[in-house]
Amino acid sequence: MSKILIIGACGQIGSELTFKLREIYGGDNVIASDIRYSNLDVVNSGIFEIVDAQDYASVKICIEKHNIDTVYLMAAMLSATGEKYPMKAWDLNMDSLFHVLNLAKEGFIKKIFWPSSIAVFGPTTPTANTPQHTVMEPTTVYGITKQVGERWCDYYHKKYGVDVRGIRYPGIVSWKTMPGGGTTDYAVEIYHKAITDGTYESFLSENTELPMMFMDDAINATVSIMQATSSAIKIRSAYNIAAMSFTPQQLAEAIKKHIPDFTITYNPDCRQQIADTWPKSIDDSAARKDWNWKHNFDLESMTNEMILQLKKKYE
Ligand code: AKB
């Protein structure tokens, strides 16, 4: 049985990935880790270790202690926070990746999941149905780290045979753990505010269309790509994946079907400039063909689930 380490397990995706992997592989085989005890649901759900993703020794000690063979590296500084702290974003996102790539190269681990993002694309990328292989000139530090990281993943696979797999996540919508520091975070905040306040001020303009995905689909994609046979994974940088695209206005309309009095206002801030450089929709045919990726949730079914779960949470 494979032994798994999740680095960055307290975050929005890391937390739900931890719960899912524990369900599939058993609690004892899935070690959650983060730099601090920031999510008690994760900390209390099984074995938890403090690991500093930027410290090679800290990662290696945990890997050796638990005989880890598979690492999901979910720690990262996202797009909006990365613009505030460019060098910190560069250091965190790159150091942590090099540590796990080198641990695989040195034979300590066998398999890596590393998340990329639609942030690898930029203003010169075609915005509609953005292809897997296309112009990539990201303008955020986060996007640069993801683009460069993809190249390094591909390099370590070709040069050293490292089994590394990646996905370019769109904006991820979920109800368990809040996202932090991203440009797509509005699509989560809006649901919370719709229920608690009946109104939301969007930091993106009403017609800003972005690719998005419900968490369950994102987790399924992550598990599927890692369960696929190595020969099925033809792309070792990261795969495009897609589920839906919408604007803040369309999202507000979907919420209004459940909460008729809900109102939205628009006050775009610096995150608008980032969103304006990202694709509106994504061509994910390579993922669908190579490892049978498919999504289940659209805007309507995601909204049903978000409202249902958040109403229970705030009751
Ligand atoms: C962000 O907004 O920075 C992230 C992402 C799209 O990678 N959610």
Side-chain angles (χ1 to χ4, degrees), residues 31-229:
I31 315 308
S33 76
D34 212 304
I35 194 161
R36 55 185 74 86
Y37 300 103
S38 52
N39 185 331
L40 290 182
D41 291 339
V42 173
V43 173
N44 296 328
S45 71
I47 308 168
F48 184 89
E49 296 277 3
I50 293 290
V51 170
D52 178 355
Q54 281 185 262
D55 178 358
Y56 177 81
S58 168
V59 179
K60 187 169 172 235
I61 287 166
C62 185
I63 281 170
E64 289 190 302
K65 178 177 167 190
H66 294 283
N67 288 316
I68 300 294
D69 54 56
T70 301
V71 172
Y72 292 73
L73 174 56
M74 309 310 289
M77 193 180 286
L78 299 189
S79 56
T81 311
E83 293 310 287
K84 286 192 203 140
Y85 310 105
M87 288 320 298
K88 274 192 188 162
W90 174 260
D91 290 345
L92 169 60
N93 296 0
M94 298 316 299
D95 290 354
S96 57
L97 176 59
F98 277 121
H99 293 339
V100 292
L101 285 174
N102 285 326
L103 282 160
K105 179 186 157 193
E106 290 155 15
F108 291 98
I109 50 174
K110 294 203 180 78
K111 211 165 162 185
I112 300 168
F113 177 80
W114 183 74
S116 186
S117 161
I118 55 163
V120 292
F121 300 118
T124 50
T125 305
T127 55
N129 219 16
T130 299
Q132 173 71 41
H133 302 287
T134 184
V135 182
M136 292 158 84
E137 295 183 319
T139 54
T140 62
V141 176
Y142 172 64
I144 294 169
T145 64
K146 290 298 177 187
Q147 186 197 25
V148 173
E150 285 192 7
R151 302 303 349 128
W152 277 111
C153 289
D154 193 52
Y155 184 88
Y156 268 67
H157 176 72
K158 288 204 172 91
K159 192 97 178 173
Y160 309 118
V162 170
D163 187 354
V164 55
R165 304 164 184 214
I167 280 171
R168 292 174 182 151
Y169 288 128
I172 306 296
V173 178
S174 66
W175 54 271
K176 283 189 190 149
T177 306
M178 289 301 279
T183 302
T184 57
D185 295 5
Y186 92 87
V188 177
E189 290 169 13
I190 190 171
Y191 285 105
H192 287 260
K193 290 281 179 194
I195 288 168
T196 57
D197 301 6
T199 184
Y200 179 65
E201 183 180 273
S202 171
F203 59 74
L204 295 184
S205 65
E206 56 190 312
N207 294 321
T208 307
E209 185 179 356
L210 288 171
M212 299 277 182
M213 184 174 289
F214 189 47
M215 179 63 87
D216 295 32
D217 279 335
I219 298 295
N220 278 341
T222 309
V223 170
S224 299
I225 194 175
M226 288 298 272
Q227 285 181 338
T229 56

